[in-house]
Amino acid sequence: MNRARVLSHLLSRAPPGTPLAAARTFLYGGTRGKASAPPPPTALAAEPFLNGSSSNYVEEMYTAWLQDPKSVHQSWDTFFRNASAGAAPGTAYTAPPSLAEPTPHHVPLSSIAPAMSTSPMVGDAQISDKVIDDHLAVQGIIRAYQIRGHSIANLDPLGINTVDPSQGRQLVVRNYMNRFSEEDMERSFKLPMSTYVGGKERQLPLKEIIQRLENAYCRSIGVEFMFINSLEQCNWIRQKFESPGVMTMDSMEKRLLLARLTRSHGFEAFLARKFSSEKRFGLEGCEILIPAMKQVIDRSTSLGVESFVMGMPHRGRLNVLANVCRKPLEHIFTQFAGLESADEGSGDVKYHLGTYQERLNRVTNKNIRLAIVANPSHLEACDPVVQGKTRAEQFYHGDSEGKKVLSILLHGDAAFSGQGIVYETFHLSELPEYTTHGTIHIVVNNQIGFTTDPRMSRSSPYCTDVARVVNAPIFHVNADDPEAVMHVCNVAADWRSTFHKDVVIDLVCYRRNGHNEIDEPMFTQPLMYTRIRKLKPVIELYGDKLISEGVVTPEEVKEVKDKYEKILETAFSVAKQETQVFNKHWIDSPWSGFFEGKDPLKISPTGVHEDTLKHIGKKFSSAPPNASDFVIHRGIQRILNSRMEMVESRTADWALGEAMAFGSLLKEGTHVRLSGQDVERGTFSHRHHVLHHQKAFKDTSVDKSQYNALANLYRDQAPYTVCNSSLSEYAVLGFELGFSMTNPNALVIWEAQFGDFNNTAQCIIDQFMSSGQSKWIRQSGLVLLLPHGMEGMGPEHSSARLERFLQMTSDDPDVLPPFSDDFAIRQLSDINWIVANCSTPASYFHILRRQIALPFRKPLIIMTPKSLLRLPEARSSFDEMIEGTEFQRMYPEAGPASNNPANVKRLIFCSGRVYYDLLQARKEAGLEEKIAIARVEQIAPFPYDLVMKECAKYADAELVWSQEEHKNMGAWSYIQPRISTALNHERHISSERVKVAHDSEDQSWYEYWFPWFFPSSGPPEPESPAPSQVHVASKPIRPVRYAGRPVSASPATGNKKTHIRESKQLLEDSLAL
């Protein structure tokens, strides 16, 4: 009967009225008559598997199926079942599963309805729209938890910002659950490839799916990752948090966690008892930070990391120093004692200090290096410094993938969302010459900033939302769930090791005290602190948990606590015996071996052999060798030709002089790094260190063929790095500062697009560069190139604010240093940084090389030119750069006036570009024999000896300081008192007079000392010393007159005519006799 039904079904596919012979051909037309068979009827196309089948084969399949349905292929089983059940013609056939990948936007039906029949095939069950919609809804629910589960997670240990459980699920799944009844919760659904909640199970009841998703995303951990545009990375994170049992810890791991928590809590409690009235910015409320950091370090060390560079704010710093870095406890305790320093430096408050430690990681049994960078109170300012130091360590260790050196940045919640430097630093994370191949960020989320609630301090839902701009996953975790924190730390370390990208851990905690230990938080947060005072510390919560689990006993908990207490007491007793503190104990970037065996007052020669200059010049002026197909832009070719002509004529312009300084250092094995906006070409199109092949590539829009001549000067040279930076000053300058801290034998340079823009990085300049050595005993040889000059380009493209750098120098304007053979280098050793305004390529060449030749390191600030880059008069002969030459701190008058000093009526001191304007104007006025011009190349430290020598040579000349900047800007306020000190050095001021000057609170130093510099005004009458205490010079004191622009609030005018008028007036005032 069934055989007849099936054959009837097959014959029904033939067209109506078909003769029996034709029907037989239709049914059995197979291989025997294949060549002459007519095209199959249209109806037959509805059964594609019948095409070309022989009658014997069909009959054999059907016979076998009748005996045992499992003996035939699933497709035949399905067909025969459907045909026997009376399926309409054309509907009985179901294609077998395809091994091919589904086409875009399609999924196989079997993947969403696997349980609709007893057979793996869909079989005789008809797939309704509801079944499909239900499976799609389940997928939507899974995705909803992955996207929004964090929004209802139990993250707040205070319970203030916790979502009502009755509303939580609806906030996540929204309308997806509306279609399911209570009975549907027990239905099994196929799990899609986008989830790992099933583990090895392929399908689960809906109730179980939701329960596992809530366990993964809505308990103590909230994960933000679905904004990441990489499927591989998203699946990796899903697997880490969704897999069943993934957070399980064994008893040994739990005991270790408890011990670390005990130390973290015990350290803060000890300091609170011993120094109850001291600010220490303790970690109470987030003691889990210490185990978290140690877990990150342990996991990373096991993955191959050997060095950790860390930056953090003040909160918790002492605890991190003690329990993460293992800084000797007695060093920390002595910082509370108020002892005098035994070495150099002004020091800093204890919660700003950094350190460097090498120790054994007992968990992995590997040696590791730990450095915490010193940080000012300017929150997040150390972020780019840490990144630069990390990048430098990776560079010098050949760690091109970041597998051995890792940066860890700690943040506060208010600062992380509020400080723009965080955003700037994130944007360096994947730039080729700035990436550190992934940073682990840990946010100590106190849920308050000083006294400001989050709702008043940020516009984003989370303080961590800034990290989304670089696709960094964000792991929010309740800090009162230590085991959840440990899991998140493991995942973060694994993520960084796997993908070499940034990751954020958000420790949602609280601050048990106020902003500091003597602050009263109840004034502004009564609700929050009422709850905090009722809350048990995490050490008690976790200890009770482990006791209830039987992992530890109460006696063991007390034993661990007492053991650490004894360690603290012993260290405290040692600290009480100390009578001095040592700033050198807190160096965060030690330079092993750099200072040993050197004469601290001997500088190496800066001149080089002429053959070296020529070799570098010719290489720098040539196209890539052995690359005849490299097409150079015609404009660049003209520049190269011009350079070659200068080399042949033994002269150098600014760009060539710079290249020779770089190239000669590279030849000597010194790494050179030049960074900043547009530095490869140069803002003013003068440098062109990177040549670009001009031939267009058909397959890409990126310039792939480039040539860097300075990187290819010698086979065994040091590496040369020149890199355009992001449009950031603050972060990039901080990065380069960090880079310069790592290796003293490298020339690291940051160039501003215009010098005016350096004030965007003022925090780095003020808090790190100017005062870093004094506060933290940290030297740096970082060079700042700041294009400067009043050339009619408006108020934002004229001044690098020279006066600000000079104001921050540490040399005393009233003290004339003692002269000696090593006077110049002693000045450099004593000052905090060097400020120069070079006017020749030779000066620029020597001062760059001097940075490496010095036996110590000081930041160097150079006011670089703009129009001088191409001025023919502003060129230098090779004779000024060869062996035997050196940097000239001041160029004396070398023209006709120097031949007859007695005839000179005026001696003009100036600096920088204005010299060439004065030179031209003097020539046009015919005053070359009556006016002498001396240009100061190094402004700070001030060249007292050379200025005095020049003034003595022109003893009868009027003294003038000429500058292009306005009177209240530029070098005038720095130069004037120092020239006066130099010229009036014969006036010996008694110690009483100095004391009176220092004790005077109503007068500035200038108001007080002015009558002494200019006796016509008379000395001040009050507290005048006895005549025997002051020796007045017999010769009259020579005043210094100012010639330049008048005072102004704006650095420069934006009106061209006004600029020309001011420039003309400047020259007239300078030269008017």
Side-chain angles (χ1 to χ4, degrees), residues 102 108 178 318 333 379 502 598 643 663 725 869:
N178 293 347
L318 298 180
F333 294 153
L379 297 173
D502 285 27
K598 288 184 179 179
R643 287 175 180 170
S725 74
L869 297 173

Side-chain angles (χ1 to χ4, degrees), residues 291-353:
M293 293 183 68
K294 293 176 77 70
Q295 188 67 26
V296 167
I297 291 170
D298 292 347
R299 187 71 163 223
S300 299
T301 303
S302 69
L303 295 169
V305 177
E306 301 171 355
S307 178
F308 299 85
V309 183
M310 297 174 281
M312 65 177 299
H314 44 279
R315 185 167 309 285
R317 179 179 286 258
L318 298 180
N319 206 326
V320 171
L321 289 168
N323 287 313
V324 176
C325 298
R326 300 289 178 86
K327 183 76 174 173
L329 293 171
E330 54 270 23
H331 290 177
I332 298 174
F333 294 153
T334 54
Q335 289 292 318
F336 288 89
L339 303 176
E340 289 287 341
S341 175
D343 51 6
E344 64 170 311
S346 59
D348 201 349
V349 292
K350 49 190 167 291
Y351 38 80
H352 287 173
L353 299 174

Side-chain angles (χ1 to χ4, degrees), residues 632-645:
I632 299 176
H633 191 280
R634 288 179 296 176
I636 301 296
Q637 188 61 59
R638 287 195 297 269
I639 293 174
L640 297 180
N641 295 340
S642 175
R643 287 175 180 170
M644 188 64 76
E645 292 173 3

Side-chain angles (χ1 to χ4, degrees), residues 910-1016:
C910 65
S911 185
R913 191 197 67 85
V914 73
Y915 166 77
Y916 295 96
D917 292 341
L918 291 169
L919 200 67
Q920 181 66 24
R922 183 181 68 170
K923 181 178 180 181
E924 293 175 355
L927 298 173
E928 293 177 296
E929 295 184 354
K930 294 185 178 181
I931 295 180
I933 304 176
R935 47 189 155 144
V936 180
E937 300 289 289
Q938 177 181 289
I939 304 175
F942 188 69
Y944 287 99
D945 52 338
L946 302 181
V947 169
M948 292 173 63
K949 182 179 179 181
E950 195 73 353
C951 290
K953 180 176 181 179
Y954 305 99
D956 299 324
E958 177 189 15
L959 301 182
V960 172
W961 171 262
S962 180
Q963 67 178 36
E964 57 182 344
E965 300 90 354
H966 290 279
K967 189 174 183 180
N968 56 325
M969 304 173 193
W972 168 243
S973 60
Y974 179 87
I975 291 291
Q976 193 275 337
R978 286 165 176 81
I979 291 182
S980 296
T981 297
L983 298 183
N984 302 304
H985 65 282
E986 294 179 2
R987 180 179 299 280
H988 303 293
I989 308 300
S990 70
S991 59
E992 288 83 359
R993 170 61 62 188
V994 174
K995 182 178 185 302
V996 169
H998 283 286
D999 291 346
S1000 175
E1001 296 179 356
D1002 298 325
Q1003 292 176 299
S1004 68
W1005 72 268
Y1006 183 83
E1007 292 171 328
Y1008 188 87
W1009 288 111
F1010 184 84
W1012 290 95
F1013 291 150
F1014 303 96
S1016 59

Side-chain angles (χ1 to χ4, degrees), residues 213-226:
L213 288 170
E214 290 184 347
N215 288 339
Y217 295 112
C218 306
R219 294 294 182 258
S220 296
I221 299 174
V223 188
E224 286 189 274
F225 70 101
M226 290 294 284

Side-chain angles (χ1 to χ4, degrees), residues 258 536 538-549 557:
L258 179 65
K536 283 185 176 182
V538 65
I539 181 64
E540 294 184 20
L541 296 174
Y542 192 59
D544 293 344
K545 178 178 183 292
L546 295 192
I547 291 172
S548 66
E549 292 177 358
V557 172

